[in-house]
C-alpha cells in the first residue's frame, strides 16, 4: 500500500492510438514518445529538469533498444537523469506506474516520470544463432507475430489461452455474452468521444509523424476503431472452432505512447491543473495465473490491490481494464 505517491491533476497524457500499419507505422517509438513528451511539457510549461528519474516501458524491441531509456531522457530534454527500460507485455503500463510509486514511497526519487511506448507495426525479424542446427542454419523469429502465436512454456497461441479461460470460468462463457460485452465496450468508447471528444481531450495529446523529409502530419484522435453492433458481431464465426472469440471481440494491435508524472503530495499540488483535485496511487496487486491461463491473472491481482488498500470492489466507482480479448 502506498501513502506518499501522487499524480498531478492533468499531469498525464496519452497519444491517440493508431491501428497497426497506420499513420505512425514507420515512426521509431522511442524518439516518438520523447518528442510527444517534450511537446506536452511545453504545452504545460513544465521544465523536464524537474524529473529525477525516468521509467520507460516498451514491450516490443526496436533498433537501439539497448540504449532506450537514456536515449529517451536526452531526447525529451533531460540528459542528466538515470533511467530504466523494461517491458512486461500487457502489464507494462501498470508496472511503470508501480515502479514510479515505489520509488517515491521509499524516498529514492521525488519526481519520476513514467513513459510507455510501443510500435506493433513492422515488428522486427530477429535471427538467433543455432550452431547445432543443420549446417548451422540460424533460427528466425518474427518478434510480434511469433510471440502472438506461441508461448514456449504454455505452448499455446494467445487466443488459445483466452479460450481456455472461457472454458474454466465459472458457469462458462458463450460467444453471445462476449459479443454483448464487446458492444458495451464500444458504447463506452462512444461516450468518451461525445461532445467533440470532451472526455478524451482531458488527457489525449497529438503525435506528429513524418510524411516526407520536409513534411509532418498530426494524429489527433484514435484511428482504426471498428464500430460494434449486435447485428455486425452475431454472424462472425469464432476464430477457433467451438470457441467464443471472433475477430470482433479482440482488441486490434496498435501503435502509440503515454506518460504520467508521479511525485510527492506537495509537488503534485504545485504541478496540478487544479490543486483542489488530489490523485493518489493507493496500492498495487499482482498474480500468476495457471499455465496457459494468462487471462485469469487480473482478477486475483485486483483482489490483492483491493485488500492492500483496505477496500472492496463495492467501493469502486470506475474500473479501467486492458482487454486484448473480451474474456478478460
Amino acid at each position: 500500500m502506498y501513502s506518499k505517491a501522487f499524480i498531478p491533476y492533468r499531469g498525464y497524457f496519452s497519444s491517440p492510438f493508431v491501428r497497426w500499419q497506420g499513420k505512425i507505422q514507420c515512426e521509431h517509438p522511442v524518439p516518438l514518445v520523447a518528442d510527444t513528451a517534450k511537446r506536452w511539457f511545453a504545452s504545460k510549461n513544465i521544465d523536464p529538469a524537474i524529473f529525477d528519474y525516468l521509467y520507460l516501458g516498451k514491450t516490443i524491441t526496436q533498433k537501439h533498444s539497448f540504449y532506450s531509456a537514456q536515449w529517451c531522457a536526452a531526447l525529451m530534454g533531460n540528459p542528466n537523469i538515470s533511467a530504466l527500460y523494461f517491458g512486461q507485455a500487457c502489464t507494462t503500463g501498470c508496472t511503470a506506474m508501480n515502479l514510479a510509486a515505489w520509488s517515491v514511497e521509499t524516498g529514492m526519487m521525488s519526481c519520476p516520470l513514467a513513459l510507455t511506448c510501443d510500435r506493433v507495426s513492422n515488428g522486427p525479424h530477429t535471427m538467433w544463432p543455432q550452431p547445432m542446427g543443420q549446417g548451422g542454419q540460424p533460427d528466425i523469429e518474427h518478434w510480434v507475430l511469433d510471440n502472438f502465436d506461441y508461448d514456449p512454456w504454455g505452448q499455446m497461441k494467445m487466443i488459445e489461452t483466452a479460450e481456455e479461460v472461457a472454458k474454466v470460468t465459472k458457469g462458462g462463457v458463450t460467444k453471445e455474452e462476449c459479443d454483448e460485452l464487446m458492444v458495451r465496450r464500444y458504447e463506452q468508447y462512444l461516450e468518451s468521444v461525445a461532445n467533440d471528444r470532451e472526455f478524451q481531450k482531458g488527457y489525449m495529446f497529438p503525435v506528429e509523424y513524418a510524411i516526407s523529409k520536409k513534411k509532418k502530419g498530426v494524429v489527433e484522435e484514435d484511428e482504426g476503431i471498428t464500430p460494434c453492433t449486435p447485428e455486425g458481431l452475431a454472424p462472425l464465426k469464432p476464430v477457433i472452432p467451438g470457441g467464443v472469440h471472433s475477430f470482433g471481440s479482440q482488441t486490434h494491435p496498435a501503435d502509440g505512447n503515454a506518460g504520467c508524472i508521479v511525485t510527492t503530495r506537495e509537488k503534485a499540488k504545485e504541478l496540478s491543473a487544479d490543486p483542489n483535485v488530489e490523485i493518489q496511487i493507493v496500492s498495487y496487486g499482482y498474480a500468476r495465473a495457471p499455465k496457459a491461463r494468462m487471462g485469469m491473472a487480473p482478477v486475483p491481482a485486483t483482489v490483492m490491490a483491493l485488500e492492500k488498500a483496505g477496500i472492496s470492489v463495492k467501493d469502486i466507482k470506475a474500473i479501467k481494464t486492458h482487454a486484448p480479448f473480451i474474456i478478460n
Side-chain angles (χ1 to χ4, degrees), residues 23-46:
K23 288 181 178 177
I24 58 176
Q25 63 169 297
C26 296
E27 299 295 322
H28 192 298
V30 174
L32 186 64
V33 71
D35 175 72
T36 306
K38 191 173 184 178
R39 292 187 298 106
W40 181 75
F41 297 152
S43 74
K44 300 287 185 180
N45 294 315
I46 293 174

Side-chain angles (χ1 to χ4, degrees), residues 36-245:
T36 306
K38 191 173 184 178
R39 292 187 298 106
W40 181 75
F41 297 152
S43 74
K44 300 287 185 180
N45 294 315
I46 293 174
D47 183 351
I50 68 171
F51 302 113
D52 52 4
Y53 203 84
L54 171 65
Y55 291 102
L56 178 66
K58 178 168 63 67
T59 300
I60 300 170
T61 191
Q62 302 287 350
K63 189 175 182 180
H64 302 312
S65 280
F66 186 89
Y67 300 99
S68 289
Q70 290 73 23
W71 182 29
C72 183
L75 291 177
M76 76 179 196
N78 190 337
N80 302 313
I81 56 174
S82 292
L84 172 67
Y85 158 52
F86 65 95
Q88 199 174 16
C90 295
T91 65
T92 297
C94 190
T95 300
M97 300 290 288
N98 182 55
L99 289 171
W102 170 82
S103 63
V104 171
E105 189 76 16
T106 60
M108 182 74 72
M109 288 89 185
S110 63
C111 191
L113 176 68
L115 293 179
T116 58
C117 62
D118 257 317
R119 188 187 74 187
V120 186
S121 297
N122 308 319
H125 288 71
T126 51
M127 182 181 295
W128 305 102
Q130 191 179 210
M132 302 303 291
Q134 185 179 18
Q137 182 177 358
D139 188 13
I140 308 297
E141 179 184 42
H142 185 295
W143 216 95
V144 174
L145 296 180
D146 286 352
N147 284 292
F148 279 178
D149 282 345
Y150 186 70
D151 166 13
W153 185 59
Q155 299 187 353
M156 286 187 178
K157 298 179 180 180
M158 286 187 181
I159 191 168
E160 289 175 335
T161 69
E163 293 294 352
E164 289 300 308
V165 173
K167 291 177 183 177
V168 300
T169 299
K170 187 176 181 180
V173 177
T174 66
K175 179 181 180 295
E176 290 71 26
E177 288 173 322
C178 288
D179 290 350
E180 181 181 358
L181 185 53
M182 198 68 205
V183 170
R184 177 58 189 140
R185 292 301 297 265
Y186 180 64
E187 289 172 348
Q188 291 175 317
Y189 182 78
L190 293 180
E191 291 170 5
S192 78
V193 297
N195 301 318
D196 191 30
R197 298 176 50 240
E198 180 181 5
F199 176 78
Q200 278 193 350
K201 288 178 179 179
Y203 66 87
M204 192 170 284
F205 192 75
V207 293
E208 295 183 351
Y209 67 99
I211 297 176
S212 66
K213 289 183 178 180
K214 297 183 178 180
K215 187 177 181 181
K216 286 188 175 182
V218 178
V219 181
E220 298 196 41
E221 54 188 290
D222 296 326
E223 294 187 356
I225 305 298
T226 302
C228 291
T229 63
E231 298 77 19
L233 291 172
L236 297 180
K237 295 181 179 180
V239 177
I240 297 176
V244 298
H245 293 89

